[in-house]
Amino acid sequence: MILSQAAAAAGHHYLHFTQLGLHPVLYSFHIFGHQLDIRWYSLAYITGILLGWWYLMKLLAQPGAPMARRHADDLVFYATIGIILGGRIGYILFYAPEMILHPLQMFRLWDGGMSFHGGAAGVSIAIIYLARKNGLNWLRIHDYVACCAPFGLFFGRIANFINGELWGRPTTVPWAIIFPNTVAFGPNPPRHPSQLYEAGLEGLLLFAILWFLFWRTKARYQPGKLVGAFLLGYGCARYFVEFFRQADEQYLNNPILGTPGTHMGQLLTIPMIIGGIYLIRTAKGRQERAGIKISETDAAEA
């Protein structure tokens, strides 16, 4: 409270979000008497999926790919459904269970409300379905898809920033931003632009790590190593940023889930971190048991 009041008192020194000229709706038009909005949030999902698809094709063109292009095209379709359904269901279960009492609100995706953890589960189900349907190694497909996931994470967090949502905790750091409507009464305090922190860590940094592992090491031949690195990297990044991010509104006054270190977003990353470490440590053994051979081209470069 003291920090919030002190930051608010010095608010004129900080950048106001409204000065950036950003708006959740990029363009609106009317058709048949109805207004349709093109939102940055929707474009973020579309851009992330298309770029992820493009990058997946690049990865599959390298020796040792676990599936063919025809499988990848099907996977993008199934994964898109998994992202939407899993993300929405995860948000309802983890953050807004009261929405179950108002079923029509579940379909109002344009109002926001998507959970990364739910979306990740949806994509995993899609991968497992595709793999079993075609007799493919589902864990190795996870490895390749994990390398593409940072695209969606980056653009999703940028869209969160443009929407002026999921802002951080009050602070007095020089780069703090004053977001509108963050408190019920009184002046809005400057806050951490935690959306940008997440875009940098979960998007750019995580992509760089996975890029290095895929293109500069033989990690793609060790089932689970790349997806393990993704889970560990995302889990650590998300856990760290939650110390600067405001707790979700429904948990803000919760003595447990409203306290940094026990935010819902942090609790959900703990299984990811543990699972990531396990997958990394056991990846070499899976390669040996499966008898996966490094291609002659890669072996020559080793």
Side-chain angles (χ1 to χ4, degrees), residues 4 12 30 34-35 73 111 121 127 129-130 152 176 180 182 224 227 248 277 280 286 295 299:
S4 175
H12 63 282
H30 291 80
H34 297 279
Q35 178 175 313
D73 293 340
D111 289 337
I127 292 174
Y129 171 77
L130 176 83
T182 64
V227 69
D248 293 273
I277 294 174
I280 293 172
R286 278 189 292 275
S295 72

Side-chain angles (χ1 to χ4, degrees), residues 72-299:
D73 293 340
D74 291 341
L75 175 60
V76 171
F77 172 73
Y78 296 136
T80 300
I81 296 176
I83 291 171
I84 296 173
L85 291 181
R88 190 59 168 175
I89 293 173
Y91 174 79
I92 293 171
L93 293 178
F94 300 138
Y95 299 101
E98 70 280 357
M99 197 177 290
I100 297 176
L101 302 178
H102 307 281
L104 293 180
Q105 291 185 9
M106 298 181 187
F107 301 97
R108 296 178 62 87
L109 300 179
W110 53 88
D111 289 337
M114 298 287 282
S115 165
F116 165 78
H117 302 88
V123 172
S124 291
I125 293 173
I127 292 174
I128 293 172
Y129 171 77
L130 176 83
R132 292 194 172 185
K133 179 181 178 181
N134 295 279
L136 304 172
N137 186 312
W138 64 272
L139 190 54
R140 295 198 67 217
I141 295 176
H142 271 81
D143 285 332
Y144 279 62
V145 172
C147 293
C148 305
F151 286 109
L153 290 169
F154 174 79
F155 288 108
R157 294 311 182 190
I158 294 298
N160 289 149
F161 180 76
I162 294 174
N163 288 349
E165 61 187 5
L166 304 182
W167 12 261
R169 297 165 60 82
T171 183
T172 56
V173 296
W175 58 86
I177 295 178
I178 299 177
F179 293 92
N181 305 317
T182 64
V183 293
F185 303 100
N188 294 293
R191 296 177 178 274
H192 284 286
S194 56
Q195 314 97 321
L196 300 183
Y197 300 171
E198 292 190 77
L201 292 176
E202 301 169 6
L204 300 180
L205 179 59
L206 190 52
F207 175 80
I209 292 172
L210 292 170
W211 180 92
F212 176 83
L213 290 174
F214 186 93
W215 295 98
R216 293 291 182 264
T217 75
K218 304 303 178 283
R220 67 178 182 270
Y221 293 103
Q222 300 175 24
K225 191 167 190 176
L226 289 169
V227 69
F230 171 82
L231 292 173
L232 177 60
Y234 175 86
C236 290
R238 178 67 181 271
Y239 197 95
F240 172 75
V241 173
E242 286 285 338
F243 284 104
F244 304 94
R245 178 172 157 176
Q246 185 86 337
D248 293 273
E249 183 178 1
Q250 57 270 48
Y251 299 127
L252 190 57
N253 297 317
N254 189 297
I256 298 178
L257 297 179
T259 303
T262 57
H263 284 182
M264 175 62 80
Q266 290 174 313
L267 294 180
L268 293 175
T269 63
I270 293 176
M272 299 180 69
I273 294 173
I274 296 174
I277 294 174
Y278 170 78
L279 288 172
I280 293 172
R281 289 179 60 87
T282 56
K284 184 66 175 179
R286 278 189 292 275
Q287 177 189 4
E288 295 173 351
R289 288 193 298 273
I292 299 175
K293 302 296 184 180
I294 298 177
S295 72
E296 295 182 2
T297 301
D298 284 333

Side-chain angles (χ1 to χ4, degrees), residues 7-89:
H12 63 282
H13 295 302
Y14 297 94
L15 177 66
H16 287 255
F17 181 77
T18 53
Q19 293 176 303
L20 299 176
L22 301 176
H23 192 275
V25 178
L26 174 63
Y27 184 75
S28 296
F29 59 94
H30 291 80
I31 181 171
F32 303 120
H34 297 279
Q35 178 175 313
L36 297 179
D37 297 330
I38 298 178
R39 295 176 176 268
W40 286 107
Y41 201 63
S42 300
L43 292 178
Y45 272 83
I46 294 172
T47 304
I49 291 171
L50 291 179
L51 280 178
W53 190 358
W54 167 80
Y55 189 56
L56 180 60
M57 295 299 103
K58 296 290 185 181
L59 302 182
L60 293 177
Q62 304 307 307
M67 61 181 174
R69 173 163 186 155
R70 67 179 186 278
H71 300 131
D73 293 340
D74 291 341
L75 175 60
V76 171
F77 172 73
Y78 296 136
T80 300
I81 296 176
I83 291 171
I84 296 173
L85 291 181
R88 190 59 168 175
I89 293 173

